[in-house]
Amino acid sequence: VTGVQTCALPILEAAHGALHSVGYSQRLDGEWSLAAQVNGLERHDSVASHQSAAAAVQYWSADRLNRFQWRALTDSKGRAGTWLDADQKDGPLQNRYGIFRIEPYAAWTDVPILNDQQGGYWRSDYRTPRYTLSGGADYTDINVHNDATRPGSRTASGFVSGFWRIDRTLNWNANASVSHGQPKFFSLSASPTTTTTINSAAAKTL
């Protein structure tokens, strides 16, 4: 999709406001594309008037095996966010991973967005006709500026799972996961927690 798009839309009647938006997208060639959008929100009942802008760049290889996407946004008060996602395939192996950071109170039109967070994730799958092995990990840091007036925590988790088709009638699967959460500001009611889960099962089809 290539070109400029503009619109001025009323928000829900109960909100008594207006949202104005202009956007642009461009496919540079068979592998690269970019997009940008600018919004203005006015007279909304529950969201302060503001302007916001976002940009995105994508690379998708000609063989469609590797894709990288970068996105960023900012609002008229200088609060910003950015995140990067990647998806790579190599035969039976597929890896997906990304990182992100969004400032506190970052605003995007009248739509609530997760903010005051940073972290990353990773997912991996190895698939064949007879077995599948998957794994992944996540890390999330809430309260990116360590503001003592706001709640904050750090959470890390990981998992691994497997599936094996032994024959046409017998399957075996197993999974294990672990997670650890820690508040940034300790109190009598807040302490680190760690959870570990391991499961295994076999199923026979008659």
Side-chain angles (χ1 to χ4, degrees), residues 19 23 46 57 62 65 73 79 85-86 96 129 134 136 150 161 184:
L19 172 64
S46 58
V57 178
L65 296 179
L73 66 84
R79 300 167 298 204
D85 297 295
R96 300 177 301 280
S134 301
R150 294 170 59 82
S161 64
K184 286 189 172 182

Side-chain angles (χ1 to χ4, degrees), residues 122-127 132-136 159-163:
W122 162 72
R123 299 284 185 274
S124 186
D125 297 290
Y126 191 92
R127 300 178 184 275
T132 300
L133 181 64
S134 301
F159 76 93
V160 61
S161 64
F163 173 84

Side-chain angles (χ1 to χ4, degrees), residues 32-175:
W32 289 92
S33 58
L34 59 85
Q37 183 170 327
V38 178
N39 307 296
L41 182 67
E42 301 175 340
R43 304 184 305 277
H44 194 282
D45 279 356
S46 58
V47 180
S49 297
H50 68 276
Q51 295 77 47
S52 56
V57 178
Q58 174 178 273
Y59 170 79
W60 201 355
S61 63
D63 58 12
R64 294 302 190 252
L65 296 179
N66 298 283
R67 180 163 60 176
F68 301 89
Q69 296 177 322
W70 171 80
R71 302 177 181 90
L73 66 84
T74 187
D75 63 27
S76 50
K77 294 189 176 181
R79 300 167 298 204
T82 186
W83 53 102
L84 173 68
D85 297 295
D87 187 340
Q88 297 182 281
K89 297 179 181 179
D90 183 8
L93 178 64
Q94 180 177 14
N95 286 298
R96 300 177 301 280
Y97 53 90
I99 55 175
F100 62 91
R101 178 184 171 91
I102 304 177
E103 295 288 322
Y105 306 110
W108 176 254
T109 68
D110 63 329
V111 179
I113 61 173
L114 293 176
N115 59 65
D116 201 9
Q117 297 188 18
Q118 61 186 357
Y121 70 93
W122 162 72
R123 299 284 185 274
S124 186
D125 297 290
Y126 191 92
R127 300 178 184 275
T128 73
R130 295 199 61 181
Y131 63 87
T132 300
L133 181 64
S134 301
D138 295 271
Y139 174 77
T140 303
D141 180 356
I142 298 176
N143 190 341
V144 298
H145 294 306
N146 296 322
D147 182 352
T149 65
R150 294 170 59 82
S153 64
R154 296 185 180 94
T155 304
S157 62
F159 76 93
V160 61
S161 64
F163 173 84
W164 180 23
R165 185 184 300 278
I166 299 172
D167 56 36
R168 292 191 301 174
T169 64
L170 182 62
N171 301 324
W172 177 83
N173 65 80
N175 62 79

Side-chain angles (χ1 to χ4, degrees), residues 152 154 180-193:
R154 296 185 180 94
H180 178 75
Q182 177 175 312
K184 286 189 172 182
F185 311 107
F186 288 96
S187 66
L188 292 178
S189 59
S191 60
T193 59

